[in-house]
Amino acid sequence: KNSSIVGAGLVWALLATVAPARAADCQFLPNAPDQHQVVRGDTLWDISGKFLEHPWCWPQVWGLNKEEIKNPHWIYPGQVIYFDREHKRLSLTPPGAGGAGSAGAGAAPGEPPVLRLTPQIRTEGLGKDAVKSIASNLIEPFLTHQMVVDEKDMAGAPRIVATPEGRYFVGKGDKIYVKGELKGGTSFQVFRPSKALVDPATGRQLAQEAFYLGTVSLQRAGKKGEAHIFGVASSKEEMGVGDLLLPAPPTPLINYVPHPPELRMDARIVSVYGGVSYAGQNQVVALNRGSVDGIDIGTVLELYHFGKTVTDPAHKGLLGFGGEKIKLPDEQYGTLFVFRVFKNVSYALIMQVTEPVQVGDVAKSPE
């Protein structure tokens, strides 16, 4: 029955039993509003920031468990989010409301009442109009193309072997000649291996960044020993001989709730996307932690400048050399939101910063 409902495009937006928020860890703003009506263009991050000192506290004040964070209950424009000041929580029903959405039975002695909400049926497609975690337009270009490749991907990938009339580069509407096993595919993304992503802490190569060039479509498959003919369907950058083809990756789900990592995290900035030295708000950076380290989509980390080691000038030797070494503390100056995760690296959007971000900076679990 449930599968038939989902197949019909109906969403049961049911908020499960809400556990008490850990108010000691998660503080509401002194001037937080009593309620907020969700409007088109809102994000979970924006809404959280209206009520909370730290937007990543969202799961705590809703009492979401790990699975609910991964598959959040949709929030839609037109719904009203209420601040229950007495119990320090947010909900979709007014505080003290009667009926199915009221607080009451099921609460442990001395604990705030358990809040249960009745299902709300949506006739839109699954999550079609739901509020996003962060502004989609800032990260969409990074969701639809290959970000990193490994040696195995590159070794088996079809590659451009020739262009018409020996031209160095081609663009949209041009033909290219490709060698390699297509495995039944007809539409591919073209990329060029870019710089290696190296862990600043260990010097180990984590992955090879892929520079996205565009998309191509098969026009005629080659016979044995013959090149395939492709047409350039779209072109972000010019492509040429030696560039590689890969099937388009599945678009990852980005409607995860902002949340701190489950395990204590201490990451470093590997690179600023685009090859620049510094980054600011709404730019993308790569981290030296991935799925094997417990990072998932929606993970929020705080940015710190890595504390340098200096020499105490009061304890230098007679000739001004030597002396006691002291490490300066790491200083917090911003926040990251992880939106794309690979095995050993992940990509994050810079949400807020007071100083420029640079390679080597530290990204830690929120305090």
Side-chain angles (χ1 to χ4, degrees):
K1 183 177 180 180
N2 289 343
S3 61
S4 64
I5 292 176
V6 172
L10 301 179
V11 177
W12 289 91
L14 170 63
L15 282 170
T17 300
V18 179
R22 291 173 290 174
D25 302 330
C26 231
Q27 299 298 320
F28 283 88
L29 293 169
N31 61 344
D34 293 325
Q35 63 185 59
H36 170 75
Q37 182 165 8
V38 181
V39 299
R40 196 170 299 278
D42 273 351
T43 65
L44 288 180
W45 191 275
D46 296 334
I47 296 171
S48 301
K50 293 181 182 296
F51 293 96
L52 299 161
E53 289 186 359
H54 303 292
W56 48 262
C57 278
W58 181 267
Q60 286 187 211
V61 298
W62 281 93
L64 301 182
N65 61 35
K66 184 177 179 181
E67 290 309 309
E68 290 167 328
I69 290 173
K70 287 184 177 182
N71 299 284
H73 304 286
W74 305 116
I75 295 174
Y76 290 86
Q79 290 182 311
V80 177
I81 295 173
Y82 296 94
F83 178 17
D84 183 345
R85 296 181 183 274
E86 181 181 356
H87 300 120
K88 298 295 184 184
R89 63 179 60 177
L90 300 176
S91 76
L92 295 178
T93 55
S102 65
E111 295 288 346
V114 171
L115 179 65
R116 299 180 187 277
L117 300 180
T118 56
Q120 300 174 2
I121 300 177
R122 290 275 168 180
T123 57
E124 299 91 356
L126 183 63
K128 177 176 175 284
D129 297 317
V131 168
K132 306 295 183 186
S133 299
I134 55 178
S136 300
N137 64 299
L138 298 176
I139 59 173
E140 279 173 354
F142 303 95
L143 298 176
T144 56
H145 61 259
Q146 196 74 20
M147 298 286 289
V148 298
V149 291
D150 56 29
E151 294 296 329
K152 183 179 178 181
D153 290 332
M154 291 189 289
R159 71 181 191 279
I160 301 175
V161 293
T163 57
E165 302 172 353
R167 291 160 53 189
Y168 285 106
F169 297 106
V170 295
K172 184 177 179 179
D174 291 330
K175 288 193 301 185
I176 56 171
Y177 301 95
V178 173
K179 176 184 178 181
E181 177 58 52
L182 303 181
K183 298 180 181 179
T186 58
S187 182
F188 291 82
Q189 293 185 347
V190 182
F191 71 94
R192 185 176 300 144
S194 183
K195 63 182 178 182
L197 297 177
V198 177
D199 191 331
T202 65
R204 180 173 69 94
Q205 180 172 327
L206 301 170
Q208 185 86 26
E209 201 162 49
F211 187 66
Y212 173 77
L213 302 174
T215 60
V216 294
S217 297
L218 180 65
Q219 292 183 348
R220 192 178 75 191
K223 298 175 183 178
K224 186 175 181 180
E226 186 178 74
H228 313 290
I229 301 176
F230 277 81
V232 180
S234 66
S235 178
K236 179 177 178 289
E237 302 284 345
E238 292 181 321
M239 53 190 76
V241 173
D243 291 334
L244 305 176
L245 279 63
L246 279 179
T251 301
L253 179 67
I254 60 170
N255 251 9
Y256 284 23
V257 175
H259 61 278
E262 185 177 3
L263 303 175
R264 189 71 186 167
M265 191 64 58
D266 191 348
R268 299 283 288 276
I269 302 294
V270 175
S271 74
V272 177
Y273 194 83
V276 296
S277 300
Y278 297 92
Q281 187 168 327
N282 295 336
Q283 288 185 267
V284 172
V285 295
L287 302 171
N288 67 339
R289 297 289 185 266
S291 59
V292 296
D293 306 295
I295 287 225
D296 61 352
I297 296 173
T299 294
V300 174
L301 299 171
E302 290 183 339
L303 278 166
Y304 289 77
H305 284 310
F306 187 70
K308 299 179 181 178
T309 300
V310 299
T311 302
D312 184 349
H315 293 83
K316 288 186 177 180
L318 294 176
L319 298 178
F321 299 103
E324 182 182 356
K325 300 293 184 181
I326 300 177
K327 183 186 180 301
L328 301 181
D330 298 341
E331 297 190 48
Q332 199 266 335
Y333 70 98
T335 311
L336 295 175
F337 181 99
V338 175
F339 65 88
R340 190 91 189 261
V341 180
F342 297 91
K343 182 179 178 181
N344 295 311
V345 299
S346 55
Y347 286 85
L349 184 70
I350 300 169
M351 301 302 294
Q352 300 137 334
V353 281
T354 56
E355 299 177 30
V357 182
Q358 56 186 318
V359 173
D361 283 354
V362 177
K364 299 181 181 180
S365 299
E367 296 293 339

